[in-house]
């Protein structure tokens, strides 16, 4: 792969401006060798409409390497933190009120034929949060009691099956206060000081700013029901795998395991480049795929040179880390920049395309101003010309000006929205095989992929808008790709 020669940037060509709602909407990608078409008959649907006290975010559907009851498809996502209730009561309205509430990792397994509906799932690990009801406001506000696991943005991938390993791994994002994890270099500390100063300026007069950054943590499992968390040994120098036990930390029971940051080959923790006020942290969300027995972790993070800007103005870069063994003491290589700058808050997923020796790249975007419905939020998709990793950076993901986030390579998704023409396509993910590469359900064998996303503007099942996250529906869609000139 590394020896391939690039012939120049790979562009997505604009689709016809005369597009009608039911007519094919097509664009070229993969160096002009592939065409992606979506029309009014392309499959879409509702994956789940959660209850007012629940949310579903970042749904990865994973085809397990071995089939087990009740089915081979594992759903995995970030859900709400469980709140203990002392009485039988209906599901209360909730909203996110504390940045330490990272939610819970939830998983569930299903049949091939039921993949378009989220299966029954259960909480696997989380931070214990006592219930604190505020009847006057009409919702339940969880208040974390301690620092701990913050399982945001989970990514699942198999271990080294080629070496006989039985474990699967899940990488997640926690949040920590600045200075909690050691091993930072001088430049990271300087960025942290700048972030603290800016956050303190923006903090309310009632108290000091809660300045944090993201940190990657790791868990492993044999069955996606019970998990071990990667932690530090008692002396603080070694690593251990500690089982998560529900209820740990309550009463006289032991504290829940404190996860250790994942370390790279330079001995430094894998953390976001910039610090920020707690609800405005960005970075490290992405995907992991296995190609040629190498793990490729592709993710977005704020460009370090933008750390001094306000969080909403910080541009994003696309970065790559690789690994050979996810259980080692030093997991990832040092970061390599693939592309940037990208618009603030961009989310990019990368995986080997289904049935092709190409990378598929999906990313948040806006339709062009002259597209149907105008410049609304969508999800864009492009393919590289081959498996050369530099081809990912050669893609022109956004039209100029980049900060507008517009691209002609949009999928033209129809589902969701608030009814007035506004859409939100957040936390998108897709279906993969066990190695994190694109796959589709058996009921859609000719499709190129199966996409999921959250719409934070779509109406909730209860009809109330207490939260932009709790109760909001998650949708799914497929897409089709064909080779130009193929019969």
């Amino acid at each position: 792969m590394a020896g391939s020669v690039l012939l120049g940037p790979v562009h997505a060509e604009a689709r016809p401006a005369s597009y009608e709602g039911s007519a094919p909407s097509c664009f070229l990608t993969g160096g002009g060798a592939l065409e992606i078409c979506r029309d009014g008959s392309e499959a879409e649907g509702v994956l789940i409409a959660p209850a007012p006290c629940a949310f579903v975010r970042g749904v990865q559907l994973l085809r397990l390497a071995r089939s087990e009851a009740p089915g081979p498809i594992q759903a995995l996502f970030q859900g709400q933190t469980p709140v203990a209730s002392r009485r039988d009561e209906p599901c209360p309205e909730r909203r996110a009120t504390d940045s330490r509430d990272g939610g819970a990792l939830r998983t569930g397994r299903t049949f091939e034929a039921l993949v378009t509906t989220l299966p029954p799932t259960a909480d696997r690990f989380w931070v214990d949060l006592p219930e604190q009801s505020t009847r006057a406001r009409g919702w339940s506000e969880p208040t974390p009691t301690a620092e701990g696991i913050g399982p945001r943005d989970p990514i699942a991938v198999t271990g080294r099956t080629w070496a006989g390993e039985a474990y699967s791994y899940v990488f997640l994002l926690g949040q920590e206060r600045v200075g909690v994890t050691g091993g930072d270099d001088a430049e990271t500390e300087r960025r942290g000081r700048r972030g603290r100063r800016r956050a303190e300026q923006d903090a309310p007069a009632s108290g000091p700013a809660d300045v944090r950054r993201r940190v990657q943590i790791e868990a492993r499992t044999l069955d996606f029901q019970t998990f071990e968390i990667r932690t530090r040994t008692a002396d603080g120098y070694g690593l251990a795998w500690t089982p998560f036990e529900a209820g740990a930390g309550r009463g006289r029971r032991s504290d829940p395991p404190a996860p250790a940051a994942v370390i790279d080959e330079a001995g430094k923790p894998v953390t976001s480049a910039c610090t920020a006020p707690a609800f405005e942290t960005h970075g490290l969300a992405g995907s992991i795929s296995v190609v040629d027995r190498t793990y490729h972790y592709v993710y977005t993070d704020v460009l370090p040179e933008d750390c001094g800007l306000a969080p909403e103005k910080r541009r994003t870069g696309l970065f790559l880390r690789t690994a050979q063994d996810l259980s080692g003491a030093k997991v990832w290589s040092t970061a390599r920049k693939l592309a940037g700058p990208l618009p603030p808050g961009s989310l990019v997923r990368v995986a080997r395309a289904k049935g092709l020796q190409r990378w598929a790249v999906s990313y948040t975007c806006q339709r062009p101003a002259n597209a149907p419905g105008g410049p609304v939020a969508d999800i864009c998709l492009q393919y590289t010309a081959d498996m050369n990793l530099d081809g990912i950076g050669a893609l022109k993901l956004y039209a100029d000006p980049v900060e507008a986030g517009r691209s002609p390579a949009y999928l033209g998704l129809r589902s969701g929205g608030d009814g007035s023409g506004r859409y939100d396509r957040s936390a998108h993910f897709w279906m993969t095989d066990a190695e994190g590469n694109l796959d589709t359900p058996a009921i859609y064998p000719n499709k190129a992929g199966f996409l999921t996303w959250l719409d934070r503007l779509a109406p909730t099942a209860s009809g109330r808008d207490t939260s932009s996250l709790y109760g909001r529906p998650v949708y799914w869609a497929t897409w089709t790709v064909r080779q130009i000139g193929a019969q």
Side-chain angles (χ1 to χ4, degrees), residues 206-283:
S206 58
D210 185 8
V211 182
R212 294 177 177 265
R213 65 179 174 185
R214 293 186 175 186
V215 57
Q216 189 183 61
I217 58 179
E218 184 180 7
R220 69 179 186 181
T221 182
L222 294 171
D223 56 9
F224 283 92
Q225 297 183 45
T226 57
F227 287 82
E228 295 176 318
I229 313 301
R230 187 172 186 149
T231 62
R232 289 285 181 189
T233 54
D235 59 13
Y237 295 100
L239 293 170
W241 292 100
T242 304
F244 177 84
E245 298 179 4
R250 292 176 180 166
R252 298 180 180 178
R253 302 189 66 174
S254 60
D255 291 335
V262 176
I263 304 298
D264 67 17
E265 64 185 6
K268 297 181 179 180
V270 178
T271 63
S272 56
C274 306
T275 60
F279 278 109
E280 301 178 64
T281 59
H282 291 285

Side-chain angles (χ1 to χ4, degrees), residues 358-412:
R358 302 172 184 267
W359 296 104
V361 182
S362 65
Y363 54 102
T364 50
C365 67
Q366 296 277 323
R367 297 179 194 172
N370 62 351
V376 300
D378 210 317
I379 296 170
C380 288
L381 179 70
Q382 295 192 48
Y383 287 72
T384 60
D386 52 31
M387 290 298 292
N388 188 320
L389 287 161
D390 290 333
I392 299 172
L395 293 172
K396 185 174 177 59
L397 299 184
Y398 298 98
D400 294 323
V402 170
E403 56 268 21
R406 297 174 185 173
S407 171
Y410 64 92
L411 287 174

